[in-house]
Structures are given as C-alpha cells and as structure tokens.
Amino acid sequence: MLYYFKELILGNIFYFDEKKKELQKLVDTLSSPIIPVLDGIVVVPLIGQFDEMRPEKLIVKTLSRIEEKLTIYL
C-alpha cells in the first residue's frame, strides 16, 4: 500500500510540475506581446514588473520575432 501511495504522490508532483511549466509559458507569452502595427512596424508594450529573467526573455523573443516579421521599426 505504501508503494501505491508513493506512486500517487510522485504522479501528482509530476502532473503539477508540468502544469506549472505550461502556465509559466502562457504567462511569458502574454506578458510581452509583440503587436504588428503596419508592415515592418511592431510595438512591444512593457507592462508589469520585471524580474531577473523577464528582460532576457523579452530580448530573445523580440529579436527572433523581428526577423520573422521583417521588422524595420520597433
């Protein structure tokens, strides 16, 4: 019985860890949207608080999207 209890707990930990990762990915996506305005022009609104990781994620995401959208002005 102890084995099944242990498996249940480990399964729940894995499940909630995966859900946490999914939610963090969603938060990252929504926290720094890249909005196309016109051809070659995008806007990146800076909203909310910036922790240690957010600026780095913003730079990486913005630079990759600039290439995708053929952005001239940011």
Side-chain angles (χ1 to χ4, degrees):
M1 181 162 172
L2 185 59
Y3 172 78
Y4 294 111
F5 185 66
K6 179 182 173 185
E7 290 299 313
L8 178 66
I9 290 174
L10 290 176
N12 283 338
I13 290 172
F14 178 75
Y15 172 79
F16 287 116
D17 189 48
E18 289 300 311
K19 288 296 175 187
K20 182 180 174 184
K21 288 177 185 176
E22 289 176 20
L23 288 172
Q24 185 60 50
K25 187 175 179 180
L26 179 61
V27 167
D28 291 344
T29 301
L30 296 175
S31 68
S32 302
I34 298 173
I35 305 166
V37 179
L38 297 170
D39 286 340
I41 301 174
V42 297
V43 174
V44 181
L46 303 176
I47 301 169
Q49 296 180 344
F50 282 76
D51 60 7
E52 294 175 7
M53 293 300 298
R54 190 169 172 208
E56 184 177 336
K57 289 179 183 179
L58 176 67
I59 290 168
V60 169
K61 179 180 172 185
T62 302
L63 291 176
S64 68
R65 292 292 302 272
I66 284 175
E67 285 186 55
E68 289 175 18
K69 300 285 184 187
L70 301 175
T71 302
I72 299 169
Y73 297 103
L74 172 65

